[in-house]
Amino acid sequence: KDAYAYLKNRGIKNSTIKTFGLGYAPEGWTRLIDYLKTKGYKEQDIFEAGLAKKRDNGTYYDAFYDGRVMFPIINVQGNIIGFGGRIMVNNPNTGKYLNSPETFVFKKKENLFGLNFAKNDRSGRLLLMEGYMDVISLHQRGITNAVASLGTALTEQQGWLLRKNAEQVILGFDSDGAGQAAVVRSMGILQNMGCDMRILQMEGAKDPDEYIIKYGTAGFSKLMENAISLIEYQVTLLKNKL
């Protein structure tokens, strides 16, 4: 109930929950392990799939054991290759978001969250976000070209994925210092690939999710149309330093 309430509070509809396969990992050390063992899986297999962790004494426990809303990470072919989890109760000893570890099938630097849906958008451009909820919120409201970089700095492999699926890439990172730093890091990678790159200038909201809730789909579409070029963004950064 808490996880469902969290998603409803964020304005996520039941149909969107179903489309993105959102779920919940309840608190408990071995709930998932115990369930998968009834299906014939061995603890070592579960561990190698990134769904369990191993203690120093050789025993296993669930990777997502502390009560998290779950986001399946789906590759461009439509296969679930990993998971992200958002903790329900803030805990200073663990991160708000936790991703599956690298596995035989899950390589963070080679995938983008939401690309399995965004590849079908016919606008010829992709909108690169920071977080799962940004992507989900935008898709629900009709902005179906949004993807996210799985919590890592943009990699060259992800840059090629963007370039392969779009003529234009719009960077929509948060408006805080970390978001601006992410823009600068991404610019070099995408520029080297010859991307037509644009940057969103969000005012009145800290992230795309908040912006589209505040100003609606029409407001966000206008924001994309007014996205500035790389040179304009660099000039703006220089002016702000003066």
Side-chain angles (χ1 to χ4, degrees):
K1 289 184 179 179
D2 289 343
Y4 183 69
Y6 168 80
L7 292 170
K8 300 308 285 186
N9 188 53
R10 295 292 298 264
I12 304 302
K13 298 176 181 177
N14 286 356
S15 57
T16 304
I17 291 173
K18 185 174 181 180
T19 296
F20 281 87
L22 308 184
Y24 180 57
E27 291 186 61
W29 290 109
T30 60
R31 287 192 178 202
L32 180 61
I33 291 172
D34 292 342
Y35 172 75
L36 291 176
K37 282 167 72 175
T38 68
K39 299 293 182 181
Y41 294 98
K42 297 177 181 177
E43 288 181 327
Q44 181 64 21
D45 297 330
I46 301 168
F47 171 72
E48 290 180 5
L51 298 176
K53 294 183 178 180
K54 199 175 191 178
R55 298 184 181 93
D56 291 339
N57 64 7
T59 60
Y60 297 90
Y61 63 98
D62 288 353
F64 300 94
Y65 63 85
D66 48 1
R68 292 177 182 264
V69 174
M70 298 301 294
F71 302 84
I73 298 167
I74 304 171
N75 67 11
V76 73
Q77 288 82 24
N79 301 310
I80 296 176
I81 56 174
F83 294 91
R86 203 276 188 196
I87 198 163
M88 297 307 306
V89 179
N90 289 331
N91 183 342
N93 298 317
T94 188
K96 183 190 294 185
Y97 280 94
L98 176 67
N99 280 335
S100 292
E102 298 265 314
T103 67
F104 180 72
V105 296
F106 180 39
K107 304 288 188 294
K108 294 179 187 178
K109 64 184 180 181
E110 297 175 4
N111 291 279
L112 292 163
F113 181 77
L115 185 59
N116 56 308
F117 297 120
K119 69 176 182 178
N120 299 318
D121 182 87
R122 298 185 181 278
S123 65
R125 59 191 179 188
L126 286 174
L127 182 59
L128 182 63
M129 312 273 94
E130 279 190 57
Y132 303 127
M133 287 302 299
D134 289 324
V135 171
I136 292 167
S137 181
L138 265 59
H139 275 261
Q140 175 174 282
R141 293 169 175 85
I143 308 295
T144 59
N145 61 343
V147 298
S149 60
L150 297 172
T152 59
L154 188 73
T155 65
E156 191 170 314
Q157 292 95 325
Q158 290 171 332
W160 282 118
L161 267 180
L162 291 166
R163 184 70 183 89
K164 180 181 177 182
N165 287 278
E167 291 298 318
Q168 184 182 84
V169 177
I170 303 174
L171 303 181
F173 295 120
D174 295 359
S175 56
D176 58 14
Q180 290 179 358
V183 169
V184 173
R185 285 195 304 270
S186 302
M187 287 191 310
I189 290 174
L190 295 172
Q191 191 175 23
N192 289 339
M193 294 174 180
C195 282
D196 175 11
M197 192 172 18
R198 297 284 187 268
I199 298 99
L200 291 186
Q201 294 288 277
M202 283 182 291
E203 294 181 4
K206 69 179 186 299
D207 56 36
D209 177 31
E210 183 180 311
Y211 195 97
I212 200 167
I213 289 172
K214 245 175 149 177
Y215 303 108
T217 302
F220 199 92
S221 296
K222 187 175 181 181
L223 183 72
M224 285 197 294
E225 295 303 326
N226 293 331
I228 62 176
S229 69
L230 176 58
I231 291 176
E232 289 175 299
Y233 183 76
Q234 291 171 322
V235 169
T236 301
L237 287 182
L238 289 172
K239 283 182 177 179
N240 291 339
K241 289 180 180 178
L242 296 176

